[in-house]
Amino acid sequence: SPVAMGSGAFTLVLALALVASTTLALQCLLSGSWRSDTGCRMVVSFLSKDGSFSGSYLPGPAAGGSEILTSPLEGTQQDAGLVPQPTFSFTVRWQLRDSETARTTAFLGQCYVGTNGEETLHALWLLREAANSPDEDWKATRIGTSVFTRIK
Amino acid sequence: SPVAMGSGAFTLVLALALVASTTLALQCLLSGSWRSDTGCRMVVSFLSKDGSFSGSYLPGPAAGGSEILTSPLEGTQQDAGLVPQPTFSFTVRWQLRDSETARTTAFLGQCYVGTNGEETLHALWLLREAANSPDEDWKATRIGTSVFTRIK
Amino acid sequence: SPVAMGSGAFTLVLALALVASTTLALQCLLSGSWRSDTGCRMVVSFLSKDGSFSGSYLPGPAAGGSEILTSPLEGTQQDAGLVPQPTFSFTVRWQLRDSETARTTAFLGQCYVGTNGEETLHALWLLREAANSPDEDWKATRIGTSVFTRIK
Amino acid sequence: SPVAMGSGAFTLVLALALVASTTLALQCLLSGSWRSDTGCRMVVSFLSKDGSFSGSYLPGPAAGGSEILTSPLEGTQQDAGLVPQPTFSFTVRWQLRDSETARTTAFLGQCYVGTNGEETLHALWLLREAANSPDEDWKATRIGTSVFTRIK
C-alpha cells in the first residue's frame, strides 16, 4: 500500500541519516584538539589527503610547564579516511626555555572508536635526550603510554 | 719575516685542509646506505636542509624476508649539518605481500661519530600492528634496539 | 571545666582513631587482591618482612582467557612497611594450556596512595616469548602498561 | 675384523667424548660471571634447582661508577638444566652512595648458545626511579637492552 511504501521510504531515509551522522565518528581522523591522560594538549591543525599531519603539543603542569614551550609535531596516520581505526605515529621536537639538550618524543598508536562514536588514541612513546657519547646512550631513553580523548 | 709569514700561511692552509677533510666524518648526516645489526638495509635517499628525510627499508632474512617488501621510511634528523651527533626519528610503513594488517615501526635514536670518524646509529624502536579493539591493544606493540653502520 | 576536658579528650581519641584507620592506606603493601585496567586479577597471598612476595595472576577475557591458566607470580616490594609509596617488581611465568613456548612477563612499578587513601599500582611490563635463535630475538618482546586497583 | 671393530669403538668413544664436552655449552645456566656490552659485571653466585638465583651487579664506568655500589640481584631462569636456551628474568636493587631515591632495574631475556658453544644473554630492561606522585610517574622509567657474554 502507499502507506506502507511511504513508511518504508521513511525508514530508509532515517537509516541513511543515521549512517551519515555517524560516519565521522566511525572513521577516526587525527585532526582536531586532544587532551592526554596526563593533562597535555595536542592540536593537529593540518591533515593532508595522504595522511601526513602537523600541529603542536602543549605540555601539562606535571611535565615542568614553565620550562617547556609549545612544541611542533609532525606525523602520519594510516590510510586517512579509509580505515576506521587507523594506526598513527608522530614526533614532537621539544622547545625548551633554558636547555641546550635536544629532546624528542616519538609516539606510536592507534585511534579506536567506541560504540558511542567516541574516539580515543592509545599510544606508546619513547622520549630521548641527546647523549654525549655511545657510553651514555644506555640512559638516554624513557618510555611510557598516553591515552588521548577529543576536546569538544 | 717573509719566511715566517709563509710558514704561518702554510700552517693555516694545513689546518683548514684538516678541518675540511674531517668535516663530513665529524658531522653525521643520515643520508646514505646503512646496515643494521640484524642484517636489514636502510637507504636514506633524500635529506632536506631542514633535516627531514625519506628513503626505503629492506628487511633482513630473519625478518621473514619473502613476506616483507621494500618499505618506505620518513623521518627527521636534528639540526642537519649543525649538530655533530644529531638525534633522529623515522617511521617505516611495512609493505607486506600477503597481509591486510597494518604494521608500523617508529625508530628514535642518535648518530654517534667515533674517534676514527666512523658513524654509528643507535636506536630504540616500537613496532605496532593494528588491533581490532582497545581490549586487544595491550599486545599490539613490540620493542627492541637496532645499531646501524654505514655501508661504504 | 570537666565538660570541656571531656570534649577535648574525645576529640583526641577521635583524631587518633582517624590516624589509625588511615595508617594502612597511607602505607601501601602489595598483599591482597588487585584488578588491572584490562580486567586481569592478581592475588598477592604472601608478603614477607623483607618485602618479597608471591601469589597468582589470572588473565582477563581479552588475554585469551581459555588458553591461559592461573599463573604463579614472584616479586619484591621496596622496604615493606617503611616507604609509603614503594616501588615493586614481579614476574609472572605463564601457564598455557596448549603451548610449549615459554612466556614470561616482568612488571616494574610503584604503588601510589591517593589523598583518599586509595592505592593504585602503576606498572610498565615486558612480555617475552622464547625464541629459537638470536636472529629471531628482535621480535620476542612486547611492552605495555598496567594500572591496578585494590579489590575490596 | 678386529681392526675395524677397534676403529668403530674408537669412533663411538670419540663421539661420546664430543657429546660430553659440549653438553654444558648446549645447556645454558646463568651461574657464573658475565660482562655486559656496556662494561658492567654480573656474578650469579647461587642457582637453585628450581631455577631461582641470586648474585651481584657491578656497574661499569659509564654508569656513574663512583656513585653506584655493588648491588644485589635476584632472579629466575626457566626450567634450569632442561631447556637448552632458557628465558630468564632478574631484578637489581641499586645501592647508591649518596641518594635516597630508590632505583630498580628489571631484566627480561634469553640465553642463546652459539654453534661454538658460546653463551650469550640478550635482555631488555626497564629502570625505574621512585616518583613523588602519579603525576610524575610518566618520567620514572627508562628502557634499553644489554648483551652479556661469559667471563672465562
Side-chain angles (χ1 to χ4, degrees):
Chain A
S1 76
V3 175
M5 259 180 64
S7 164
F10 176 73
T11 306
L12 182 66
V13 168
L14 189 67
L16 285 172
L18 282 169
V19 167
S21 72
T22 55
T23 295
L24 286 173
L26 287 174
Q27 207 146 51
C28 179
L29 293 175
L30 268 282
S31 46
S33 294
W34 303 86
R35 188 185 309 280
S36 84
D37 52 349
T38 55
C40 298
R41 275 202 304 140
M42 171 168 78
V43 179
V44 174
S45 50
F46 183 78
L47 174 66
S48 75
K49 277 184 184 173
D50 70 351
S52 65
F53 58 82
S54 60
S56 56
Y57 203 94
L58 299 81
S66 55
E67 260 189 39
I68 302 179
L69 308 174
T70 298
S71 300
L73 68 84
E74 300 271 350
T76 316
Q77 82 164 62
Q78 172 204 358
D79 303 326
L82 295 176
V83 172
Q85 301 191 122
T87 59
F88 61 84
S89 67
F90 63 89
T91 299
V92 180
R93 299 276 299 275
W94 297 104
Q95 306 295 307
L96 303 167
R97 197 182 296 275
D98 294 319
S99 171
E100 296 295 300
T101 309
R103 283 190 207 174
T104 308
T105 304
F107 290 82
L108 183 61
Q110 188 168 351
C111 182
Y112 294 104
V113 184
T115 49
N116 57 357
E118 193 129 325
E119 296 144 303
T120 314
L121 311 180
H122 288 242
L124 270 154
W125 49 258
L126 297 170
L127 162 58
R128 173 180 277 262
E129 302 186 43
N132 290 323
S133 72
D135 281 357
E136 298 185 356
D137 191 74
W138 68 271
K139 61 180 170 186
T141 309
R142 288 178 161 87
I143 190 162
T145 52
S146 292
V147 175
F148 297 88
T149 47
R150 199 178 274 283
I151 303 173
K152 284 156 192 170
Chain B
S1 75
V3 174
M5 259 180 63
S7 164
F10 176 74
T11 306
L12 183 65
V13 167
L14 188 67
L16 285 171
L18 282 168
V19 167
S21 72
T22 55
T23 294
L24 286 174
L26 288 174
Q27 208 146 50
C28 179
L29 292 176
L30 268 281
S31 44
S33 294
W34 303 86
R35 188 185 309 279
S36 84
D37 52 349
T38 54
C40 298
R41 275 203 305 141
M42 170 168 79
V43 179
V44 175
S45 50
F46 183 77
L47 173 67
S48 75
K49 278 184 184 172
D50 70 351
S52 64
F53 58 81
S54 59
S56 55
Y57 203 95
L58 298 81
S66 55
E67 260 189 39
I68 301 180
L69 309 175
T70 298
S71 300
L73 68 85
E74 300 272 349
T76 316
Q77 83 165 59
Q78 174 203 356
D79 304 326
L82 296 175
V83 171
Q85 300 191 122
T87 58
F88 62 82
S89 67
F90 64 88
T91 299
V92 180
R93 301 275 299 275
W94 297 105
Q95 306 295 308
L96 305 167
R97 197 183 296 276
D98 294 320
S99 170
E100 295 295 301
T101 309
R103 282 190 207 175
T104 308
T105 302
F107 290 82
L108 183 61
Q110 187 167 351
C111 181
Y112 295 104
V113 184
T115 49
N116 56 357
E118 193 129 326
E119 298 143 302
T120 315
L121 310 180
H122 287 242
L124 270 154
W125 50 258
L126 297 170
L127 162 58
R128 172 180 278 263
E129 302 186 42
N132 291 323
S133 72
D135 280 358
E136 298 185 356
D137 191 74
W138 69 270
K139 62 179 170 186
T141 310
R142 287 179 162 86
I143 190 162
T145 53
S146 292
V147 175
F148 298 87
T149 47
R150 199 178 274 283
I151 303 173
K152 283 157 193 169
Chain C
S1 77
V3 174
M5 261 180 61
S7 163
F10 176 73
T11 306
L12 182 66
V13 168
L14 190 65
L16 285 172
L18 282 168
V19 167
S21 71
T22 54
T23 294
L24 285 174
L26 288 174
Q27 207 145 51
C28 179
L29 293 175
L30 268 281
S31 46
S33 294
W34 303 85
R35 188 185 309 278
S36 84
D37 52 349
T38 53
C40 299
R41 275 202 304 139
M42 170 169 79
V43 179
V44 174
S45 50
F46 182 78
L47 173 67
S48 75
K49 279 184 183 173
D50 70 351
S52 65
F53 58 82
S54 59
S56 55
Y57 203 94
L58 299 80
S66 55
E67 259 189 39
I68 301 179
L69 308 175
T70 298
S71 300
L73 68 86
E74 301 272 349
T76 317
Q77 81 164 63
Q78 172 203 0
D79 303 327
L82 295 175
V83 171
Q85 300 191 123
T87 58
F88 61 83
S89 68
F90 63 89
T91 298
V92 179
R93 301 276 298 276
W94 297 105
Q95 306 295 307
L96 304 167
R97 196 182 296 276
D98 293 319
S99 171
E100 295 295 301
T101 309
R103 283 191 206 174
T104 309
T105 302
F107 290 81
L108 182 62
Q110 188 167 351
C111 182
Y112 295 104
V113 184
T115 49
N116 57 357
E118 193 128 325
E119 296 144 303
T120 314
L121 310 179
H122 288 241
L124 270 153
W125 50 258
L126 297 170
L127 162 58
R128 173 180 278 264
E129 302 185 43
N132 290 324
S133 73
D135 280 357
E136 298 185 355
D137 191 74
W138 67 272
K139 62 180 171 185
T141 310
R142 287 178 161 88
I143 190 162
T145 53
S146 292
V147 175
F148 298 86
T149 47
R150 199 177 273 286
I151 303 172
K152 283 154 192 170
Chain D
S1 76
V3 175
M5 259 180 64
S7 164
F10 175 72
T11 306
L12 182 66
V13 168
L14 189 66
L16 285 172
L18 282 168
V19 167
S21 71
T22 53
T23 295
L24 286 173
L26 287 175
Q27 206 146 52
C28 179
L29 293 175
L30 269 281
S31 45
S33 295
W34 303 85
R35 189 184 309 278
S36 84
D37 51 351
T38 55
C40 298
R41 275 204 303 140
M42 171 169 79
V43 179
V44 174
S45 50
F46 183 78
L47 172 67
S48 75
K49 279 185 185 171
D50 70 351
S52 64
F53 59 81
S54 60
S56 55
Y57 203 94
L58 297 83
S66 56
E67 259 189 40
I68 302 179
L69 309 174
T70 298
S71 300
L73 70 83
E74 300 272 348
T76 317
Q77 82 164 62
Q78 172 204 0
D79 304 326
L82 295 176
V83 171
Q85 301 191 120
T87 59
F88 62 84
S89 68
F90 64 89
T91 299
V92 180
R93 301 276 298 276
W94 297 104
Q95 307 294 308
L96 304 167
R97 197 182 296 276
D98 293 320
S99 170
E100 296 294 302
T101 308
R103 283 191 207 174
T104 308
T105 302
F107 290 82
L108 182 62
Q110 187 167 351
C111 182
Y112 295 104
V113 183
T115 48
N116 56 356
E118 193 128 325
E119 297 144 302
T120 315
L121 310 181
H122 287 242
L124 270 154
W125 50 258
L126 297 169
L127 162 58
R128 172 179 278 263
E129 301 186 43
N132 290 324
S133 71
D135 280 358
E136 298 185 356
D137 191 74
W138 69 271
K139 62 179 170 186
T141 310
R142 286 178 162 86
I143 190 160
T145 53
S146 292
V147 175
F148 298 87
T149 47
R150 199 177 276 283
I151 303 173
K152 283 155 193 171

